[in-house]
Amino acid sequence: MGSNQTWISEVILLGFQVDPEFELFLFGFFLLFYSLTLMGNGVILGLICLDSRLHTPMYFFLSNLAIVDIAYASSTVPKMLANLIMRKKTISFAPCILQTFPYLAFAITECTSLVVMSNDWYVAICHPLHYTVIMNWRVCLVLAATCWIFSFLLALVHISLILKLPFCGPQKINHFFCQIISVFKLACADTRLNQTVLFVGSVFVLVGPLCLVLVSYTRILIAILRIQAGEGRRKAFSTCSPHLCVVGLFFGSAIVMYMAPKSSHSQEQRKILSLFYSLFNPMLNPLIYSLRNAEVKGVLRRFLGKKK
């Protein structure tokens, strides 16, 4: 670093840059969505833990996804909510980097977890007689642990490369949290290596898993089309189509965010895309994957009946 460069101590999160009155509306709106995310995923976790009938591989992966969604949303949303009602929208540089790390780690864990869940669905539907042998508890634990360990190691690689950069400003991040691409712009050095590693990592974490998910669901759809009973086919389609919508929403917005040319989308559009995969998707997952499930609804009904 040259003598005229200094390390920045804090940065300003510009957020959505709207009128104060509209910021209050956004605060209430996002607080509602965040509360629904915590409540929905919390209910799923509670029901799976309390009812032994849900102690199966499928619900083990659903509970794992619920934990990821709670942690993922909590890594960015609380600071965003605080900035919407505070006049001083600053964050110290060290907490900014600390926010980037769990955000990346939980985002990658979400991607890998969706791949594992799609594979679980494929085995359950296409190989039902061998399901308990293929997806035994040892395999489930290894798959879940691999998702978490791989995700945190890859996030650590990105953070290690970021910490090697000199940061001397500008002190403003045009985002509502310390998103990694925005953090690159604070550096006063060449970030091409960081951007290349991020792009390669995005291909590996987004495009690869998306292809695996699509392959699994394609095989599932082929198996569904072979079902003779019209009612069974209709139920299977009604279950799989929302799953594909959520997967498409999550992977699509993330791919556009990290792999599309920078000039093709404005910063405001990128903020909206970030909201899709960091807030709205964690809220939709329990609704799509669990609360529409007949077994989960039955357990919830029995639990509420006992309470009454």
Side-chain angles (χ1 to χ4, degrees):
M1 292 176 64
S3 58
N4 62 334
Q5 295 175 345
T6 57
W7 283 83
I8 56 178
S9 59
E10 65 178 18
V11 294
I12 301 170
L13 295 171
L14 296 179
F16 297 97
Q17 302 180 67
V18 293
D19 295 333
E21 294 80 9
F22 194 63
E23 281 189 334
L24 288 176
F25 168 77
L26 289 179
F27 173 80
F29 183 71
F30 293 144
L31 179 62
L32 174 63
F33 274 70
Y34 182 54
S35 301
L36 291 174
T37 299
L38 297 181
M39 184 172 65
N41 287 288
V43 167
I44 296 304
L45 277 174
L47 292 176
I48 293 174
C49 291
L50 292 173
D51 198 295
S52 59
R53 283 165 290 194
L54 300 182
H55 294 175
T56 63
M58 184 180 76
Y59 293 107
F60 169 76
F61 290 124
L62 285 173
S63 63
N64 181 66
L65 183 67
I67 293 171
V68 174
D69 284 335
I70 290 172
Y72 187 26
S74 299
S75 66
T76 58
V77 176
K79 182 60 180 176
M80 177 187 72
L81 293 174
N83 282 347
L84 285 171
I85 58 173
M86 290 173 63
R87 187 167 296 178
K88 188 179 180 183
K89 306 178 188 296
T90 59
I91 182 172
S92 298
F93 186 70
C96 181
I97 298 298
L98 288 174
Q99 185 186 55
T100 305
F101 175 69
Y103 157 75
L104 283 173
F106 294 130
I108 299 168
T109 309
E110 178 104 1
C111 294
T112 52
S113 296
L114 289 174
V115 173
V116 170
M117 288 175 62
S118 68
N119 182 69
D120 176 67
W121 273 84
Y122 162 72
V123 176
I125 292 174
C126 299
H127 303 283
L129 298 178
H130 301 95
Y131 179 73
T132 55
V133 177
I134 298 172
M135 301 301 294
N136 58 67
W137 281 111
R138 183 179 178 182
V139 171
C140 294
L141 290 171
V142 169
L143 287 172
T146 302
C147 290
W148 284 87
I149 294 170
F150 167 76
S151 303
F152 274 77
L153 287 176
L154 185 55
L156 191 60
V157 170
H158 289 302
I159 296 302
S160 299
L161 290 174
I162 286 176
L163 292 176
K164 292 182 178 180
L165 295 171
F167 291 94
C168 53
Q171 290 182 267
K172 294 180 180 180
I173 290 180
N174 190 12
H175 218 294
F176 58 84
F177 72 103
C178 293
Q179 197 256 358
I180 187 168
I181 297 176
S182 301
V183 173
F184 289 163
K185 296 176 182 178
L186 301 178
C188 47
D190 189 358
T191 61
R192 279 180 294 182
L193 174 62
N194 301 74
Q195 293 174 7
T196 301
V197 172
L198 181 63
F199 182 82
V200 173
S202 298
V203 172
F204 192 66
V205 169
L206 294 174
V207 178
L210 178 59
C211 291
L212 292 174
V213 169
L214 291 177
V215 168
S216 295
Y217 276 104
T218 300
R219 292 183 175 182
I220 289 170
L221 290 174
I222 292 172
I224 290 171
L225 291 173
R226 292 174 181 167
I227 298 175
Q228 299 298 322
E231 182 66 18
R233 187 183 300 177
R234 187 190 64 79
K235 286 183 178 180
F237 269 117
S238 68
T239 300
C240 288
S241 53
H243 292 189
L244 283 172
C245 289
V246 171
V247 167
L249 180 66
F250 178 79
F251 281 102
S253 57
I255 287 172
V256 170
M257 185 72 185
Y258 292 103
M259 300 183 67
K262 295 179 182 178
S263 58
S264 62
H265 298 90
S266 69
Q267 188 61 30
E268 297 307 312
Q269 289 174 322
R270 288 176 176 271
K271 292 175 189 176
I272 295 172
L273 287 173
S274 296
L275 283 172
F276 269 110
Y277 63 79
S278 63
L279 178 59
F280 299 145
N281 202 77
M283 183 199 70
L284 289 174
N285 280 341
L287 297 174
I288 298 299
Y289 285 103
S290 301
L291 295 179
R292 294 177 73 253
N293 186 292
E295 287 181 302
V296 174
K297 286 193 287 188
V299 171
L300 182 59
R301 257 187 239 108
R302 286 192 295 271
F303 181 76
L304 293 176
K306 287 179 182 179
K307 287 292 182 182
K308 288 180 182 179

